[in-house]
Amino acid sequence: MIQLKAFEVWFVTGSQHLYGEETLRQVALHSQTIAASLDSNSTIPVKVIFKPTVKSTEEIYSLCQEANNAKNCIGIIAWMHTFSPAKMWIGGLKILQKPLCHLHTQFNRDIPWNDIDMDFMNLNQSAHGDREFGFIVSRMRMSRKVIVGHWQDPEVIQELNTWCRAAAGWHDWQGAKFVRFGDNMRYVAVTDGDKVEAEFKFGYAVNTHGIGDLVQVINETSDAAVDALTQQYEDEYKMAASLCKAGERNSSLREAAKIEIGLRTFLEAGNYKGFTDTFEDLHGMAQLPGIAAQRLMESGYGFAGEGDWKTAALVRAMKVMGSGLQGGNSFMEDYTYHFDPENSLVLGSHMLEICPSIADGKPSCQVHPLGIGGKADPVRLVFNTTAGPALNASLIDMGNRFRLIVNEVEAVSPKHDLPKLPVARVLWKPYPDMKTGCAAWILAGGAHHTGYSQNLTAAHMENFADMAGIEFTLIGKNTTIYQFKNDLRWSDVYYQFNK
């Protein structure tokens, strides 16, 4: 569902006619070499497209206009090989609607100590050409990513990889549609928000369908399609005996498959990239979508429970950013704590809907009572998750702006079997420690719903927030409550003045 190689970033080099044709030929050759090298590097997840050197106001404006209209262009990497007078860039940058990365590099890594002359200096002027470009972007108050270092440096390649992935997530939101079945869970604040402002700010639309619209599609599912999907379940998962063909609960499995087929059909027909539902509105459905939501997330759809459309959209963006990387991304909720002073932990889970992309081993397919929603016992996948670095991200509506909160965590393997907990789950230690991490999260207004990632870093999320033009707040290894509270105060002042 997600193919990052369909996306392009354009490698654009700035210069000017002043240098003459011979120098400009060398500039073009160097630029082509860098672009080709980046494009062939397996670390870069998208295509890198060389664009001819821009040398005038008209060329720059035309290129930015072309980038805006190019369906697969997700951003521009700009480099000033020589000196490119920055007033030439004003018109183009004013209309540019794609993310901008300023690569502050030069073609040669080392100074050729014995051979350097004025011809070399005249050609290789990135050290001050990029400063001229940097000034005008700062003067125009434009958000962009600045990456410094030689273009073959693995650290530079990794930073470009991170930025490209963030740009892909941002591009995926533009014109995206997310469907909400039913309304927000009653009286809940943090999962609600301004959908009109979100569409204006983020580029995606959220609209509601009555649950009856979905039920109609579910009821049109054929027995043959259900047969095929239930067989797929038996092939892919460890099945509870009661759910197998001869089992007394096989009808529950068939109903779950019917729901998944109907949901997938509805999403595909409407070209939706994610959805949310609520257990308070299940009229006409036999059970709450459990395995259906889990498997649709694994396919790349965004999802969140209880009408939480912001988290559903965020999970989709994280799926796109993390596509092809080891590990997964999932809807998540901080459910309960282990307050052992020697080993404090958070147990994350949800009623049913945790994505199997983060599973450790083959999930178990089970059916159990839910105790909420008043429907038949739903089928779900049960599993533990792998240990290692991870993060939780929450997108909240602060009234005058959106805030993206990220807490870096360390997932740990469970030391106990949890035999009576029939849901997927993950245990983690928040950074910098349990008390500071949880206190900072609450001070920032972080939601109980999050996007949980095993393969993204805070850098991905910060780049993404910059592209969206929203506040980014990090709770990490070096966070202190004193500094964090001041950061929040400074942000409030900034957004009051920067309306």
Side-chain angles (χ1 to χ4, degrees), residues 60 108 227 300 371:
I60 293 168
N108 56 296
D227 291 342

Side-chain angles (χ1 to χ4, degrees), residues 324-366:
L325 296 177
Q326 185 175 0
N329 294 273
S330 177
F331 169 57
M332 188 58 66
E333 179 171 285
D334 294 57
Y335 230 100
T336 194
Y337 292 144
H338 184 61
F339 268 138
D340 180 352
E342 303 301 320
N343 187 33
S344 293
L345 297 168
V346 177
L347 191 153
S349 185
H350 203 254
M351 295 181 296
L352 303 170
E353 313 99 338
I354 301 299
C355 180
S357 68
I358 67 171
D360 183 10
K362 181 183 286 190
S364 173
C365 186
Q366 304 177 18

Side-chain angles (χ1 to χ4, degrees), residues 18-36:
L18 176 69
Y19 295 106
E21 290 304 314
E22 177 57 31
T23 296
L24 289 175
R25 276 195 293 271
Q26 290 180 279
V27 167
L29 180 61
H30 289 175
S31 301
Q32 285 176 301
T33 300
I34 295 174

Side-chain angles (χ1 to χ4, degrees), residues 83-398:
F83 196 80
S84 178
K87 286 170 67 176
M88 297 192 306
W89 286 86
I90 293 173
L93 292 177
K94 280 176 65 177
I95 66 166
L96 182 64
Q97 297 171 355
K98 300 292 175 75
L100 175 64
C101 175
H102 183 186
L103 179 58
H104 184 39
T105 190
Q106 63 185 28
F107 187 71
N108 56 296
R109 193 194 73 171
D110 303 326
I111 294 174
W113 304 105
N114 293 327
D115 300 318
I116 188 169
D117 56 18
M118 284 311 299
D119 287 340
F120 181 92
M121 295 280 277
N122 189 49
L123 173 62
N124 298 285
Q125 298 190 49
S126 306
H128 83 290
D130 276 330
R131 281 169 166 76
E132 167 75 356
F133 180 73
F135 162 74
I136 203 63
V137 185
S138 294
R139 174 67 176 79
M140 295 174 71
R141 307 300 196 270
M142 286 184 65
S143 178
R144 81 283 200 188
K145 177 68 176 179
V146 178
I147 298 176
V148 179
H150 192 253
W151 51 277
Q152 293 175 312
D153 183 341
E155 290 186 7
V156 169
I157 299 297
Q158 186 55 52
E159 285 191 76
L160 283 168
N161 167 38
T162 298
W163 178 81
C164 287
R165 288 181 174 279
W170 175 246
H171 181 81
D172 184 75
W173 265 10
Q174 307 313 301
K177 296 193 300 180
F178 295 88
V179 60
R180 192 169 64 156
F181 296 111
D183 203 348
N184 187 61
M185 184 178 172
R186 299 182 193 110
Y187 303 110
V188 177
V190 74
T191 55
D192 216 332
D194 189 338
K195 297 191 293 296
V196 174
E197 182 64 18
E199 186 163 353
F200 174 75
K201 192 71 178 174
F202 299 134
Y204 64 74
V206 180
N207 288 295
T208 298
H209 273 267
I211 197 69
D213 294 342
L214 173 60
V215 169
Q216 181 178 349
V217 178
I218 291 173
N219 289 340
E220 293 170 354
T221 303
S222 69
D223 288 340
V226 172
D227 291 342
L229 186 54
T230 53
Q231 184 59 55
Q232 187 177 343
Y233 292 166
E234 294 197 32
D235 293 341
E236 293 184 11
Y237 310 120
K238 294 180 288 186
M239 299 295 296
S242 64
L243 292 175
C244 293
K245 287 185 176 68
E248 69 273 16
R249 304 299 301 275
N250 181 251
S251 60
S252 296
L253 186 72
R254 293 184 63 82
E255 187 63 41
K258 186 177 176 182
I259 291 171
E260 179 183 339
I261 294 166
L263 257 172
R264 195 178 294 273
T265 300
F266 192 103
L267 295 173
E268 289 175 353
N271 196 29
Y272 293 108
K273 292 183 176 179
F275 71 103
T276 178
D277 58 23
T278 172
F279 57 81
E280 288 184 324
D281 191 355
L282 298 173
H283 301 295
M285 295 185 69
Q287 57 181 262
L288 180 65
I291 190 173
Q294 291 178 294
R295 285 171 50 85
L296 285 163
M297 262 192 289
E298 191 174 26
S299 297
Y301 286 100
F303 172 81
E306 300 148 27
D308 187 356
W309 52 272
K310 296 189 298 300
T311 302
L314 182 62
V315 169
R316 166 64 185 191
M318 294 169 73
K319 291 280 186 183
V320 174
M321 286 189 272
S323 179
L325 296 177
Q326 185 175 0
N329 294 273
S330 177
F331 169 57
M332 188 58 66
E333 179 171 285
D334 294 57
Y335 230 100
T336 194
Y337 292 144
H338 184 61
F339 268 138
D340 180 352
E342 303 301 320
N343 187 33
S344 293
L345 297 168
V346 177
L347 191 153
S349 185
H350 203 254
M351 295 181 296
L352 303 170
E353 313 99 338
I354 301 299
C355 180
S357 68
I358 67 171
D360 183 10
K362 181 183 286 190
S364 173
C365 186
Q366 304 177 18
V367 59
H368 298 276
L370 184 58
I372 195 168
K375 293 291 180 178
D377 301 345
V379 176
R380 81 290 303 271
L381 299 175
V382 179
F383 52 84
N384 294 320
T385 60
T386 56
L391 62 80
N392 277 301
S394 174
L395 181 62
I396 61 171
D397 186 344
M398 292 295 291

Side-chain angles (χ1 to χ4, degrees), residues 4-5 9 37-48 77 156-162 164-165:
L4 294 189
K5 277 299 181 182
V9 293
S37 176
L38 296 177
D39 184 55
S40 65
N41 193 303
S42 60
T43 302
I44 305 297
V46 301
K47 296 176 183 176
V48 180
I77 301 173
V156 169
I157 299 297
Q158 186 55 52
E159 285 191 76
L160 283 168
N161 167 38
T162 298
C164 287
R165 288 181 174 279

